[in-house]
Amino acid sequence: MSRLGACAAAFLVTGFVLYAGALEGPFVSDDFHYVVNNPFVNGSASARGILDPGGEAVTLVENYAPVHLLLHRAAWGAFGPDVWGHHVLNLVLHAAASLVLVLLLRRSGLREAAAAFGGALFLVHPANVEAVAWISQLKSSASLTLAGLALLALERRPALASGAFALALLAKPTAAFALPVAAVLWWLRGGTAGGLAGGRGLRWLALWLVLFLGFAAVELGAFSRASGAHIEALDPDPWVRLRTSVAFAGRYLAMATTTWGLSAFHEPQPAISLLDPWWLLGLAAIGAIGARTVHALRRGREEAAWWVWAGVSFLPVAQFFPFPYPLADRYLYTILPGLLGGALLAMAPALERLGARAPRASLAAALVVLALLAVRAHGRVDIWRSSALLQADAARHYPDGVSAHLLRARRAAMARDVPAATGALRAALERGYDRFDAVLGDPLLGPLAGTPEFDAVVSGMAGRWVERLARRDDLAQAELLTLALAHRVRGEDRAAILALERGLARGGPLDPALRRELRRLGHAPSGARGRQPAKPR
């Protein structure tokens, strides 16, 4: 067996051992609208709809990500609702991404042992557990693997590389990091490496830029339609927003280097004070990485490309475009390879000297580091065995967050303490939580329906959806169904019926669900298609 094959086998075996506790973990949270209840994934709608940049599939998942959805559709066809197969697919792709990282590090000049160590660090790093153990995060591992393959193939197989880059973007937008990294590598290698000599290389990079700009135009349109686009900014003060974005950089650096601060469903507070420690750490980190990047560029070292990788990967999650849960372990999945590559290349001379002088001690130290990270990752893997464990982990790290308030509401509901339960739900609403459907479907909270306090809170949650959606004329079927459900919760049956009829008039994969809701309201579906009912006044 070749060394590369041995490395691949070792990564796969290690991955299965490390993630064994999550392989039977259930579908949770986003998995339901990405996979379980998505008609384009579970086969009740045509796969062609996944490719339509203006279609219902985009509205359902709030992104244009056809490769992501097609992978899920293939997995559903193979495994159905059996979670084990879905988890294994993501784990295999994670091992593949780790192996591609080894090859990229070797290409940048690291010795074989150091490159393998970098790939192993990525494989077992606890920050990656969320991206690997969460079924719907298949997009992260697929996108990173494809983007890494694009960078590997660009010099000698530029056409193949361009196809891989396009597929990576269509799996997850964060793959855009590969474009500036490729440009920096081409420049550092003198524009003459492999098949990218001179102007030919520039033409291929220009094609990548065209691919990115075309995708960005579609993705921004999809994002502007998404409910996430209506999330309020972190703070009305632009300076607070800027400090908070910088503070996120500090938090990500701490999670990457120490694993401290990892959590399910982060809910950090804005950086209000100029003395906020996370803002100060982020400022120092950005300054240090920026200075190191300039230093490496001046000396023509490929280390610079890896720092660029980390920096560009941070920008999409820096909250310049607000979205729910602004901080997350899974967002490190694309940032971390850049940090690892930059750090290993910066320390390469020292690591080589140490390895030459004390090879056994160096190997032992590397194994100890990997073992410590694996133990920490194993603890993070365990929380993905159930949704309740995830909520408890989030509540432990953020005791005033949404998850903590929802847990308090459930405990109060179990004790039949309606005022305490509704008070906790109201606190969650104030923190931005408005999933009225999840509250009503919760087996502990749902039975509170009919009590005035509970109904008032749920009505308030539904009212936020009505306010966001009712003002627009171009709603997709999924949005009209949500609008109708929100109206029904608020007792606005006539408005709900009109929204459902509008959805049926559009036609699409959600027709059966729309008809079911109409029947629940005691209204016979018109069956007419092409007629657009009037909007409720």
Side-chain angles (χ1 to χ4, degrees), residues 103 112 414 424 487:
L103 297 175
E112 193 174 70
M414 291 176 66
H487 277 306

Side-chain angles (χ1 to χ4, degrees), residues 198-242:
R200 186 166 181 260
L202 282 177
R203 287 193 291 274
W204 283 109
L205 290 173
L207 174 61
W208 280 36
L209 178 61
V210 170
L211 290 172
F212 167 70
L213 291 176
F215 169 77
V218 175
E219 174 62 13
L220 287 174
F223 186 78
S224 68
R225 289 186 58 90
S227 60
H230 301 282
I231 299 298
E232 295 180 359
L234 292 167
D235 193 275
D237 186 337
W239 293 108
V240 172
R241 293 201 298 273
L242 177 61

Side-chain angles (χ1 to χ4, degrees), residues 118-500:
L121 278 173
F122 184 74
L123 179 77
V124 304
H125 200 290
N128 289 336
V129 169
E130 182 171 278
V132 180
W134 199 345
I135 290 173
S136 57
Q137 281 302 310
L138 176 68
K139 58 185 176 182
S140 296
S141 54
S143 177
L144 183 61
T145 301
L146 288 165
L149 289 173
L151 289 172
L152 277 175
L154 181 59
E155 290 183 3
R156 289 179 170 79
R157 299 287 187 273
L160 179 65
S162 300
F165 177 60
L167 291 174
L169 287 172
L170 295 173
K172 191 175 182 181
T174 50
F177 78 86
L179 173 57
V181 170
V184 172
L185 288 173
W186 176 82
W187 182 75
L188 288 172
R189 293 169 184 173
T192 59
L196 289 186
R200 186 166 181 260
L202 282 177
R203 287 193 291 274
W204 283 109
L205 290 173
L207 174 61
W208 280 36
L209 178 61
V210 170
L211 290 172
F212 167 70
L213 291 176
F215 169 77
V218 175
E219 174 62 13
L220 287 174
F223 186 78
S224 68
R225 289 186 58 90
S227 60
H230 301 282
I231 299 298
E232 295 180 359
L234 292 167
D235 193 275
D237 186 337
W239 293 108
V240 172
R241 293 201 298 273
L242 177 61
R243 284 197 297 272
T244 302
S245 293
V246 173
F248 287 165
R251 289 178 183 270
Y252 283 127
L253 184 65
M255 290 190 284
T257 55
T258 70
T259 78
W260 191 86
L262 298 176
S263 174
F265 313 133
H266 291 264
E267 295 182 69
Q269 293 294 327
I272 302 297
S273 171
L274 285 170
L275 299 178
D276 181 277
W278 290 115
W279 136 259
L280 294 175
L281 175 61
L283 197 63
I286 291 172
I289 290 175
R292 186 70 199 185
T293 304
V294 172
H295 174 80
L297 282 171
R298 286 178 174 174
R299 283 165 172 72
R301 298 179 57 182
E302 291 196 12
E303 173 196 338
W306 292 84
W307 295 124
V308 168
W309 180 330
V312 172
S313 297
F314 169 67
L315 290 178
V317 298
Q319 283 295 292
F320 296 118
F321 299 100
F323 51 83
Y325 294 107
L327 187 78
D329 293 5
R330 61 188 178 276
Y331 300 151
L332 256 177
Y333 196 78
T334 310
I335 301 170
L336 188 59
L339 294 175
L340 288 174
L344 287 170
L345 286 165
M347 296 186 297
L351 292 174
E352 289 176 13
R353 289 194 298 270
L354 183 61
R357 293 174 183 172
R360 292 184 179 178
S362 300
L363 177 60
L367 291 175
V368 167
V369 170
L370 291 174
L372 290 173
L373 287 175
V375 169
R376 173 80 164 122
H378 184 269
R380 300 300 303 163
V381 167
D382 280 347
I383 70 172
W384 287 91
R385 290 184 289 112
S386 75
S387 180
L389 290 172
L390 282 171
Q391 293 284 345
D393 184 76
R396 180 166 61 86
H397 290 100
Y398 295 95
D400 193 38
V402 168
S403 293
H405 290 308
L406 291 176
L407 283 177
R408 293 186 190 106
R410 293 188 186 105
R411 293 192 188 107
M414 291 176 66
R416 315 306 296 175
D417 188 345
V418 176
T422 54
L425 286 175
R426 192 172 291 106
L429 175 61
E430 291 172 357
R431 293 279 297 181
Y433 184 78
D434 56 13
R435 288 295 307 277
F436 65 92
D437 53 338
V439 171
L440 290 171
D442 190 298
L444 294 176
L445 298 174
L448 299 181
T451 61
E453 306 99 310
F454 178 84
D455 290 350
V457 176
V458 175
S459 178
M461 292 180 176
R464 291 194 175 185
W465 287 91
V466 171
E467 182 181 354
R468 282 199 295 264
L469 297 175
R471 68 184 65 171
R472 287 170 41 196
D473 295 320
D474 60 339
L475 297 179
Q477 270 198 324
E479 293 168 319
L480 287 164
L481 178 58
T482 299
L483 177 61
L485 294 174
H487 277 306
R488 184 161 66 83
V489 165
R490 292 169 59 82
E492 300 160 352
D493 289 359
R494 178 58 182 163
I497 290 170
L498 288 172
L500 294 168

Side-chain angles (χ1 to χ4, degrees), residues 20-40:
L23 293 180
E24 297 294 339
F27 293 108
V28 297
S29 188
D30 288 356
D31 292 343
F32 289 97
H33 79 261
Y34 273 112
V35 183
V36 181
N37 299 326
N38 190 330
F40 295 99

